[in-house]
Every structure is written in structure tokens, then in C-alpha cells.
């Protein structure tokens, strides 16, 4: 499986449409969604994006149906974990401290974080 950390914009657009679906979708129906948005993509363009996403382990295509392997939330959590592992040595506390310091978390934000940690 290739790294999925950075998705080019077009691949991200495809994933967003797949995440909006509640069931697997026909590739032709997915193409119709992009055609309705006047993206100007041809069938082969979409197939190329889907093949790349499949290679990254993010989509499954079977019998002209396609679906996302992970939910949007799961994917985003996986991405955050990779970022924290890479930038903060895998320590969530270092990430939260840095974020709080740089973004100027107010007292209400600190209270919310404390409650989250208490419940965890």
C-alpha cells in the first residue's frame, strides 16, 4: 500500500464524493456527479484517480462499484496519527501542548480539554 498521507486535490475530491455516499456507488454514477459539477473529467480520468486511490488502499472497486475503505472520520484520524507520529514523536500530549501554545487556547478551551481527558 502506498502512503496516503498526501492526497492530491483531485483524489481528495473523489474521496469526498465517496464519503458522501451511504452505499457503494456505480463508477458511472460517480462520473455523473462530477459531470453535473462540470468538472470536465472523462471516464478514463476518473478511472485513473480511482486506480491511484485503490493502490493507496483507500477504495475498493468490484463489478463497476466503488466504495471508500475508511470513513471520513477514520481517515482523518489516521492522518492525524501519522502527523503526530512524524512531528511530535507519537506523543499526543506534545501535539496538544504545541497547539494550545500556538493557537492561544482560552480558559474555556482548557476546561473542554480537561473534560475530554477525564472521560478518556
Amino acid at each position: 500500500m502506498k502512503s496516503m498521507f498526501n492526497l492530491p486535490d483531485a483524489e481528495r475530491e473523489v474521496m469526498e464524493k465517496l464519503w458522501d455516499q451511504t452505499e457503494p456507488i456505480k463508477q458511472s454514477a460517480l462520473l455523473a456527479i462530477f459531470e453535473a459539477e462540470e468538472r470536465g473529467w472523462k471516464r478514463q480520468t476518473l478511472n485513473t484517480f480511482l486506480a491511484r486511490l485503490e493502490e493507496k488502499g483507500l477504495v475498493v472497486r468490484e463489478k463497476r462499484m466503488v466504495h471508500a475503505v475508511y470513513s471520513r472520520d477514520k481517515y482523518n484520524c489516521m492522518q492525524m496519527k501519522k502527523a503526530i507520529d512524524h512531528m511530535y514523536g507519537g506523543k499526543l500530549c506534545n501535539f496538544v501542548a504545541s497547539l494550545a501554545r500556538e493557537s492561544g487556547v482560552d480558559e474555556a478551551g482548557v476546561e473542554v480539554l480537561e473534560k475530554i481527558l477525564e472521560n478518556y
Side-chain angles (χ1 to χ4, degrees), residues 27 42 51 70-71 74 80 104:
Q27 288 180 213
K42 304 287 184 209
Y70 306 104
S71 69
K74 175 70 175 172
M80 283 305 303

Side-chain angles (χ1 to χ4, degrees), residues 62-77:
E62 294 178 298
K63 299 180 183 174
R64 300 187 185 189
M65 301 292 284
V66 61
H67 66 91
V69 172
Y70 306 104
S71 69
R72 181 183 281 119
D73 286 342
K74 175 70 175 172
Y75 174 80
N76 288 336
C77 285

Side-chain angles (χ1 to χ4, degrees), residues 53-114:
L53 291 166
E54 191 171 37
E55 192 173 309
K56 292 175 183 179
L58 296 175
V59 302
V60 172
R61 293 188 292 174
E62 294 178 298
K63 299 180 183 174
R64 300 187 185 189
M65 301 292 284
V66 61
H67 66 91
V69 172
Y70 306 104
S71 69
R72 181 183 281 119
D73 286 342
K74 175 70 175 172
Y75 174 80
N76 288 336
C77 285
M78 291 166 54
Q79 296 302 79
M80 283 305 303
K81 181 172 179 355
K82 281 186 174 195
I84 291 168
D85 288 348
H86 178 72
M87 293 182 268
Y88 297 96
K91 300 198 184 282
L92 182 61
C93 58
N94 291 349
F95 167 71
V96 172
S98 177
L99 184 63
R101 210 175 25 253
E102 293 300 318
S103 64
V105 174
D106 60 7
E107 189 173 325
V110 171
E111 289 176 14
V112 169
L113 286 172
E114 286 175 343

